[in-house]
Amino acid sequence: MLHDRFKFSVVLDHSEFDGYRNGRLVAERPEVITICGPRTYHFDRTEARLIGFAAKYMENGVREVGINTDAPVVPQEDLPLQAALQCRLGLDPYQALRGVTIVPAKALKIDDVLG
């Protein structure tokens, strides 16, 4: 709503649990960035399997999906592990690399110098 009504720059951080179910709404707004973590997966009882949030967002059409650790809650040293878990749960490795580099830089609006 903030994006649609006021044209605010929006970053959905901690996009966890069942948030991916709203992925199509996010996909309709390509300038909205989604960052998953630090809990990047859960057991979905409706599908009876582990769900990787980043892969599910991408399946729903979201193109800018980042991965974070929420340091110090989950240490920043675990960022590669978070990305690897997402790959194991269906995320393309190239998208995982983007998810720990350019996507967070875009969220911080520093992608012209970092990422």
Side-chain angles (χ1 to χ4, degrees):
M1 292 185 313
L2 292 172
H3 171 268
D4 293 352
R5 182 156 184 197
F6 301 110
K7 304 302 178 207
F8 285 168
S9 176
V10 175
V11 175
L12 303 175
D13 198 11
H14 287 76
S15 300
E16 301 173 355
F17 304 108
D18 289 339
Y20 66 86
R21 295 181 190 274
N22 293 314
R24 285 193 165 60
L25 293 172
V26 178
E28 293 171 2
R29 294 150 182 90
E31 50 285 326
V32 173
I33 296 173
T34 302
I35 309 283
C36 295
R39 290 155 200 89
T40 57
Y41 61 92
H42 80 109
F43 185 78
D44 187 309
R45 291 185 176 125
T46 61
E47 295 189 30
R49 65 183 182 103
L50 282 174
I51 298 293
F53 300 131
K56 284 302 239 181
Y57 273 106
M58 298 290 290
E59 274 181 36
N60 285 321
V62 179
R63 299 278 60 73
E64 296 293 351
V65 178
I67 301 168
N68 77 4
T69 63
D70 200 21
V73 175
V74 175
Q76 64 266 20
E77 294 84 11
D78 283 358
L79 190 57
L81 174 62
Q82 295 290 328
L85 282 169
Q86 289 305 298
C87 291
R88 178 71 172 99
L89 295 171
L91 185 64
D92 176 76
Y94 177 74
Q95 295 300 331
L97 181 60
R98 290 186 87 250
V100 297
T101 56
I102 193 66
V103 174
K106 286 180 178 183
L108 294 170
K109 304 242 181 260
I110 58 172
D111 54 309
D112 58 331
V113 293
L114 289 176

